[in-house]
Each structure stands twice: as structure tokens, then as C-alpha cells.
């Protein structure tokens, strides 16, 4: 069988080649077993690869010839499996035949073929590929067609446990077929969505189920490199949003659609029949971003779905999404901050694994580092104004990430040369840096904050050491690094420096010295000095205070403390 195509090709006789093709097709249609049909189909495929002209003639005969001999569902299903037939054109021609004639032979052929394609354990095609044929069968009032349609509808109803699953699935298939035509006008899209608005969107439960049906169908039918159903689905969401100008309606509709995507992702992630595949979800959500460029919705946190982490990072850094969040009007900064915190929390869990870093963890770290460098280059104000919440989430050994975040400064500012300081350098050291974190939100403990405010303002002279130790100590007696960082920062920004008094009498410096005495171990000292060093950034008031504080501690403490500060 491998040598026959070579011998026929070398013969140089077109008539012989066509004769062989005819005999192979005849034997294929006469075959009574699936094995024989597959063998002859493979043989025919190897022959047709030798002549594109003959291949087009065979395809035209299968599609357009009015010949009852071709009504062999097993042979046609084999052609579909090997890609001989363009499914859209075949669907059009078969539906036309059913409209023009309703012979029992054609109806039996159609139902048997669709059974082979759709209702087997491993379907060859999707319902969208036979939409026109199924609609034609639904119009035929015969017992066999109605029985087959009811069987298909019952199968979908059992799968989703809803009686309207079949009608909604046909609605999605109709929309998908409409989107495949490049000449479809916007008015036709709008008309279709208006009809859908009456049928579906007035019932929230039905709307959410429709979103679930569409999402699961997109995920199940995903095939890399091929035209995807999810492109039509995301376009449908966009046109549904354009039906009304009511902003609350748009938010509600998008919330339903995104919530369903999250729930489906959670189901596949937690209960996968096979290994979790994040690519279809990445394709679906990125397609949604492309369709909805003016929507700044949040995405799933990788901490809850670690199998989706790389796709999540790619979506977060998408060229159409990130610039919208970090635009100059700053309306999306809060959302971007939440997403960045979610990313750093997940990275924190990866870096704190006791078994060592896996290769995937290293790749995620490198991706996060490159992402932060890109933000540092294009949007340094974002990192500069949110830096306190970011560095709280970084482990102490994350030197690179910490340096990237702390090196951010406003793009309108020109850093002075440390060897030739300008005359207005001291003026910049008195300016407060812009921060998105309010002073009252730093400690996140109202009672402790009021105690600290009274002490730092001089209104209270009572000892506060007990309150400080209680705040920075966890239940197991260990230090809480994040709360220590917040305490160090809050003391620094609230303390008032009196030039007439020595720095040793400053309330903030006295608290730092108290902490050095209390934390006798070098690890505690390291946390303290690291917390102070985190606020040594570009020239501003905070940098001036913390640099003065750490220099004072270096000069006034023992050689052991000096070594720790130097390190």
C-alpha cells in the first residue's frame, strides 16, 4: 500500500491515476467494517496528496454530487476524521438537501452521520459544525428525526441537569456561525443580542447558566492552532454590554460573566480528570481583554489557583490591560495594587518552601522580576508610592526585587550626583514623598496607634515598651516581621526632629534603641536595620530621617551593632 502511490506517480499516466482513485473510493463505500473504511481512507489520503487537482475533484463530488451512493455515514465520518471535507460547506449543502427533499434515505443517512460525529465516546466534531443540519432536522416532522433530536436534547439536559441546555447550546452555535462570516454587519449582531436580551438576560439564573454553558464549551472544545469558539463568546459579551448604556447593568453583567469563569476555573483546577491545562483559560480571558479594552476587571489570584499562575502573570502584564490600570488618571491604580499584592503573596509562598526552589518557581520569580523592571521603567510613580506594602511581602533574601522597588522615584525628578550636590539638595530633603498609604492605615491597630501618637507627640510620658513588644510579637513568641516594618516606618514619619535638641533625645531614636536592647539576638537586629534601610530611597524627608537615624545608631552603639549595620 505504501508502494502503490509511488508506482502510480511514476507511471506518468493521468488516466491510470484517476482509475486507481475511483477503485479505492468504490471499495471504501463497499466496506462493511470500520477497520476497512479507515484503511481505504488512509490509502486515499496518500493518493490525493500526489495531485491537488484530483483532490479538489473528489471533494467536490462528496459535497455537491447528487448521487445516492455517497450516503454512507461511516465513509463520510471517516472523511471528516481525516479532514477531507470542509465542515462549514458540508453543513450548508446537507441542510439544503434536507430542505429540498425529505427522503427516508437522506434522513437516515443524516441522523446516522450525526450520531457518529456527536454522540460517540470520542466525538469527531462539535454541535456548531452541524448547526444548519440540526435546524433542518428539527423542521422535519417525522418520528425518526424527532426521536434523534430528543435524544440529543436529553443528553445535554442530563449533562447540565437543566431542560433548557439544548436550546441555549443551539443559541451559542448560531452566534458562532454568525461570527464566522466576515461580512456580518453590526446591525445584525445587535439584532441577535436584542433577541437574546428578551430570552435570557431578564432571568439572572438563566443568564448565569448560559455563561457557564458557554465557558465550559469553550474550554472543552479548545484546540491549539485552530479557530476557537471562545473568540465568538467574548464578542458576544461585548455586544451584550453595548445593548444598554446603564453603567450598573454593565458592571452586573461583567460580574456574572467573570464569576462564572472563576468558578469553572476553580472546578477544573481542583477536580481535574486529567492534568490541569491553563492555556484555554488564558486564551479565554485574554480574548475577553481584547474585546473589552476599556474594562479594568480583576483576575483570579494565583494563591488560590497555582496551576494558573503563569497565565495569570501573562494576563496581568498584558500590553492592553496594564496600561489601562496604570494610566495617568490613576483610576486603576487601586486594582493594580491588589493584583500586585496577590502576585507577591504567591511568590512569597514559593520562595519560603523548605524543599528548595523548583524550576517552575525560579521561572515565576524571573517573570516577576522582569515585570517589576518593566513597571519601574514605564510607571515608576506606581512603585514609588506603593513601595511600603510591596516590601512587606518580600522575604529578606529577595534582594533583587527589593532593590527594584526601592529604586523607583518620580519620573519628573532628576537624581542629584552624590559627588557634586546641587545647592537645592537640602530643600528636597525636606519634601514629603507622595504615598498612597495613609498614615492612619500603617499600623492597622487603632488602640496601639493612639498610644504611639500620644508618646511621639509628647502628651504621654508613661512607658510604652510593653505595648510595643505586644504589637510586634506573635502568639508563639516570635517576632512579626511585617508589624515590625510598619512600626519602624510609622515611628519615623510621625516623629518630629527638634534641631535644638540632640538626636539621642528624639522619641523615635529612643524606641529604636529600646528595640535593640530587647531583641538581643542578631536576627532581631537584622530585621530592625533592614526595616530602616527599606526607607532609604531618593532624596526626600523620609530618606533624610532614616539615614540620620541609622548613622546615629552606628555611632552610638557597640562594635557588634556596628558590624551588623555594616552588613
Amino acid at each position: 500500500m505504501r508502494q502503490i502511490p509511488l508506482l502510480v506517480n511514476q507511471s506518468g499516466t493521468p488516466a491510470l491515476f484517476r482509475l486507481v482513485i475511483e477503485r479505492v473510493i468504490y471499495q471504501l463505500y463497499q466496506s462493511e467494517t470500520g477497520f476497512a473504511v479507515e484503511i481505504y481512507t488512509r490509502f486515499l489520503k496518500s493518493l490525493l496528496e500526489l495531485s491537488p487537482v484530483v483532490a479538489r475533484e473528489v471533494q467536490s463530488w462528496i459535497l455537491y454530487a447528487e448521487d445516492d451512493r455517497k450516503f454512507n455515514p461511516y465513509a463520510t465520518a471517516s472523511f471528516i476524521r481525516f479532514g477531507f471535507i470542509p465542515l462549514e460547506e458540508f453543513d450548508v449543502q446537507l441542510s439544503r438537501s434536507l430542505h429540498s427533499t425529505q427522503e427516508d434515505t437522506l434522513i437516515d443517512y443524516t441522523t446516522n452521520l450525526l450520531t457518529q460525529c456527536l454522540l460517540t465516546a470520542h466525538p469527531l466534531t462539535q454541535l456548531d459544525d452541524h448547526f444548519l443540519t440540526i435546524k433542518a432536522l428539527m423542521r422535519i416532522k417525522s418520528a425518526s428525526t424527532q426521536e434523534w433530536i430528543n435524544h440529543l436534547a436529553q443528553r445535554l439536559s442530563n449533562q447540565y441537569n437543566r431542560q433548557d441546555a439544548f436550546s441555549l447550546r443551539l443559541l451559542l452555535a448560531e452566534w458562532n456561525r454568525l461570527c464566522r462570516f466576515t461580512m456580518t454587519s453590526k446591525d445584525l449582531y445587535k439584532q441577535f443580542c436584542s433577541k437574546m436580551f428578551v430570552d435570557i438576560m431578564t432571568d439572572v439564573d438563566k443568564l448565569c447558566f448560559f455563561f457557564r454553558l458557554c465557558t465550559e464549551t469553550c474550554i472543552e472544545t479548545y484546540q491549539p492552532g485552530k479557530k476557537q469558539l471562545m473568540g465568538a463568546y467574548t464578542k458576544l459579551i461585548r455586544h451584550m454590554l453595548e445593548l444598554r448604556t446603564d453603567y450598573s447593568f454593565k458592571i452586573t453583567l461583567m460580574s456574572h460573566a467573570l464569576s462564572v469563569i472563576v468558578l469553572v476555573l476553580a472546578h477544573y483546577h481542583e477536580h481535574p480528570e486529567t492534568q490541569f491545562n491553563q492555556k484555554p483559560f488564558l486564551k479565554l480571558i485574554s480574548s475577553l481583554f481584547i474585546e473589552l479594552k476599556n474594562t479594568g476587571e480583576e483576575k483570579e489570584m494565583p494563591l488560590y489557583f497555582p496551576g494558573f499562575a503563569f497565565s495569570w502573570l501573562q494576563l496581568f502584564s498584558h500590553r492592553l490591560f496594564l496600561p489601562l490600570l496604570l494610566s495617568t488618571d490613576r483610576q486603576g491604580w487601586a486594582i493594580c495594587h491588589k493584583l500586585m499584592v496577590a502576585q507577591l503573596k504567591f511568590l512569597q509562598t514559593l520562595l519560603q518552601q523548605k524543599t528548595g526552589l523548583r524550576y517552575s518557581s525560579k521561572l515565576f520569580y524571573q517573570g516577576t522580576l522582569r515585570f517589576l523592571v518593566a513597571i519601574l521603567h514605564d510607571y515608576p510613580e506606581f512603585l514609588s508610592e506603593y513601595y511600603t506594602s510591596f516590601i512587606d511581602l518580600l522575604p529578606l533574601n529577595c534582594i533583587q526585587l527589593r532593590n527594584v522597588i526601592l529604586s523607583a522615584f518620580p519620573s519628573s525628578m532628576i537624581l542629584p550626583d552624590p559627588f557634586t550636590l546641587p545647592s537645592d539638595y537640602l530643600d528636597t530633603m525636606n519634601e514629603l514623598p507622595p504615598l498612597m498609604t495613609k498614615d492612619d492605615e500603617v499600623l492597622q491597630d487603632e488602640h496601639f496607634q493612639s498610644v504611639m501618637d500620644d508618646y511621639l507627640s509628647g502628651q504621654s510620658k508613661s512607658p510604652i515598651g510593653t505595648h510595643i513588644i505586644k504589637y510586634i510579637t506573635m502568639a508563639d513568641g516570635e517576632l512579626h516581621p511585617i508589624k515590625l516594618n510598619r512600626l519602624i516606618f510609622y515611628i519615623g514619619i510621625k516623629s518630629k526632629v527638634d534641631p535644638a535638641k540632640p538626636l539621642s533625645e528624639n522619641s523615635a531614636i529612643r524606641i529604636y534603641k529600646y528595640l535593640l536592647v530587647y531583641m538581643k539576638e542578631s536576627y532581631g537586629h537584622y530585621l530592625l536595620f533592614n526595616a530602616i534601610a527599606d526607607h532609604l530611597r531618593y532624596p526626600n524627608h523620609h530618606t533624610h530621617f532614616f539615614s540620620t537615624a541609622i548613622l546615629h545608631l552606628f555611632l552610638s552603639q557597640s562594635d557588634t551593632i556596628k558590624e551588623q549595620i555594616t552588613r
Side-chain angles (χ1 to χ4, degrees):
M1 186 173 292
R2 294 179 179 177
Q3 295 180 354
I4 290 177
L6 297 177
L7 295 175
V8 173
N9 190 36
Q10 293 174 359
S11 66
T13 306
L16 177 62
F17 182 72
R18 295 178 182 273
L19 179 63
V20 173
I21 294 291
E22 292 177 1
R23 293 299 300 175
V24 171
I25 295 177
Y26 175 78
Q27 291 297 329
L28 189 154
Y29 277 93
Q30 294 298 317
S31 301
E32 298 180 355
T33 63
F35 178 74
V37 170
E38 182 176 356
I39 291 297
Y40 281 115
T41 306
R42 289 183 179 274
F43 186 32
L44 178 63
K45 181 180 180 181
S46 64
L47 289 172
L48 294 180
E49 289 175 350
L50 301 176
S51 175
V53 176
V54 178
R56 288 193 294 269
E57 292 177 359
V58 172
Q59 185 182 92
S60 298
W61 178 80
I62 297 174
L63 290 174
Y64 307 113
E66 297 181 359
D67 192 341
D68 293 345
R69 293 178 300 175
K70 71 177 185 178
F71 292 156
N72 185 329
Y74 303 101
T76 307
S78 184
F79 288 152
I80 293 175
R81 180 184 295 110
F82 286 91
F84 285 175
I85 304 176
L87 290 175
E88 289 188 23
E89 183 62 23
F90 179 73
D91 184 35
V92 171
Q93 296 302 321
L94 186 55
S95 63
R96 287 179 179 175
S97 300
L98 289 171
H99 283 299
S100 61
T101 180
Q102 298 181 4
E103 297 179 357
D104 293 339
T105 304
L106 178 60
I107 293 175
D108 292 341
Y109 162 74
T110 303
T111 54
N112 290 331
L113 174 61
L114 294 183
T115 300
Q116 291 286 323
C117 293
L118 298 176
L119 302 181
T120 57
H122 302 284
L124 299 177
T125 56
Q126 302 298 327
L127 187 144
D128 307 74
D129 299 320
H130 309 282
F131 169 72
L132 297 178
T133 302
I134 293 176
K135 295 293 285 186
L137 288 176
M138 294 174 65
R139 296 187 184 96
I140 298 176
K141 305 300 181 181
S142 67
S144 59
T145 56
Q146 294 303 316
E147 180 181 0
W148 188 88
I149 293 295
N150 292 335
H151 177 64
L152 178 61
Q154 188 62 38
R155 180 166 179 169
L156 283 171
S157 300
N158 295 337
Q159 180 181 353
Y160 292 100
N161 198 23
R162 284 183 64 109
Q163 295 299 321
D164 55 353
F166 179 61
S167 60
L168 294 178
R169 182 65 182 88
L170 283 179
L171 194 63
L172 176 62
E174 183 179 1
W175 173 262
N176 185 31
R177 182 59 65 93
L178 191 66
C179 293
R180 291 183 182 181
F181 294 104
T182 57
M183 301 300 294
T184 304
S185 63
K186 293 183 179 180
D187 293 336
L188 189 56
Y189 286 137
K190 185 177 180 180
Q191 181 180 357
F192 186 94
C193 291
S194 300
K195 176 179 177 297
M196 183 182 295
F197 183 84
V198 177
D199 297 339
I200 296 178
M201 298 173 67
T202 54
D203 187 349
V204 176
D205 181 64
K206 193 173 185 179
L207 176 63
C208 292
F209 172 70
F210 178 70
F211 284 152
R212 174 200 164 193
L213 177 77
C214 295
T215 303
E216 292 186 355
T217 304
C218 290
I219 300 304
E220 292 170 359
T221 59
Y222 173 78
Q223 292 181 335
K226 294 187 178 181
K227 195 171 184 178
Q228 305 297 336
L229 173 63
M230 55 188 64
Y233 173 48
T234 54
K235 181 181 289 187
L236 173 62
I237 295 178
R238 176 170 66 86
H239 283 281
M240 291 169 69
L241 291 173
E242 293 175 353
L243 285 177
R244 290 172 55 178
T245 58
D246 185 7
Y247 186 73
S248 61
F249 166 79
K250 297 177 182 291
I251 293 297
T252 303
L253 187 66
M254 279 303 304
S255 298
H256 290 325
L258 290 173
S259 298
V260 169
I261 294 176
V262 173
L263 291 174
V264 173
L265 188 150
H267 175 74
Y268 276 80
H269 187 274
E270 299 299 330
H271 306 283
E273 297 179 359
T274 58
Q275 187 177 3
F276 176 72
N277 184 12
Q278 57 182 318
K279 290 183 178 180
F281 291 98
L282 169 64
K283 180 67 176 179
L284 176 60
I285 301 177
S286 60
S287 298
L288 189 60
F289 288 159
I290 293 174
E291 290 290 341
L292 310 172
K293 294 181 181 180
N294 296 323
T295 303
E297 61 275 9
E298 296 182 41
K299 303 180 281 293
E300 302 83 353
M301 292 187 179
L303 194 62
Y304 299 145
F305 309 110
F308 191 67
F310 284 97
S311 295
W312 185 92
L313 177 59
Q314 184 173 346
L315 289 170
F316 186 14
S317 58
H318 199 280
R319 60 183 178 84
L320 296 178
F321 181 67
L322 187 64
L324 293 176
L325 293 181
L326 298 178
S327 58
T328 55
D329 57 9
R330 301 195 174 193
Q331 293 183 1
W333 278 35
I335 296 177
C336 189
H337 174 254
K338 292 180 181 179
L339 299 177
M340 182 65 72
V341 168
Q343 179 177 342
L344 294 180
K345 283 183 178 180
F346 178 69
L347 181 64
Q348 185 183 49
T349 60
L350 295 180
L351 299 178
Q352 291 178 344
Q353 294 177 353
K354 298 181 180 180
T355 57
L357 286 180
R358 298 180 179 178
Y359 179 69
S360 57
S361 301
K362 294 179 181 178
L363 287 180
F364 192 82
Y365 171 82
Q366 293 174 357
T368 303
L369 179 61
R370 293 177 181 178
F371 181 39
L372 287 175
V373 170
I375 295 180
L376 175 66
H377 182 271
D378 296 334
Y379 310 100
E381 289 85 358
F382 175 74
L383 292 181
S384 174
E385 298 184 26
Y386 276 113
Y387 83 100
T388 54
S389 58
F390 294 154
I391 60 175
D392 284 345
L393 300 173
L394 295 179
L396 295 177
N397 56 355
C398 266
I399 307 299
Q400 281 183 314
L401 292 179
R402 192 178 299 271
N403 288 340
V404 169
I405 295 174
L406 296 180
S407 62
F409 61 92
S411 56
S412 59
M413 181 180 185
I414 300 177
L415 291 181
D417 186 353
F419 299 102
T420 57
L421 294 178
S423 58
D424 60 346
Y425 175 72
L426 294 179
D427 296 334
T428 60
M429 299 301 285
N430 293 324
E431 296 178 359
L432 289 175
L435 295 176
M436 297 301 293
T437 304
K438 298 180 180 179
D439 296 349
D440 296 339
E441 300 174 353
V442 175
L443 295 179
Q444 299 182 2
D445 188 329
E446 294 182 1
H447 175 69
F448 179 66
Q449 179 178 330
S450 63
V451 173
M452 292 300 303
D453 289 342
D454 292 340
Y455 179 80
L456 293 174
S457 62
Q459 298 179 6
S460 174
K461 300 297 182 180
S462 58
I464 61 168
T466 305
H467 297 282
I468 293 177
I469 300 306
K470 182 180 178 180
Y471 177 75
I472 64 174
T473 305
M474 294 186 288
D476 57 357
E478 297 293 330
L479 289 174
H480 197 300
I482 295 180
K483 288 189 175 181
L484 180 61
N485 289 345
R486 293 172 180 172
L487 175 64
I488 298 301
F489 178 62
Y490 187 78
I491 293 172
I493 63 177
K494 285 294 185 179
S495 177
K496 297 180 180 179
V497 179
D498 188 355
K501 296 182 180 180
L503 195 59
S504 59
E505 297 181 7
N506 184 272
S507 55
I509 300 298
R510 293 194 322 211
I511 294 177
Y512 294 160
K513 291 182 177 180
Y514 171 79
L515 290 174
L516 286 176
V517 175
Y518 171 76
M519 298 182 296
K520 298 180 181 179
E521 297 181 358
S522 58
Y523 175 69
H525 294 170
Y526 177 73
L527 290 178
L528 174 62
F529 298 139
N530 192 76
I532 296 176
D534 284 340
H535 305 291
L536 303 178
R537 305 189 296 148
Y538 64 92
N540 58 67
H541 178 70
H542 294 170
T543 300
H544 175 65
F545 173 80
F546 286 104
S547 60
T548 304
I550 201 167
L551 287 175
H552 176 80
L553 293 176
F554 181 84
L555 295 174
S556 61
Q557 297 299 310
S558 63
D559 291 341
T560 303
I561 299 298
K562 292 180 179 180
E563 291 179 1
Q564 294 173 352
I565 294 177
T566 304
R567 289 201 301 268

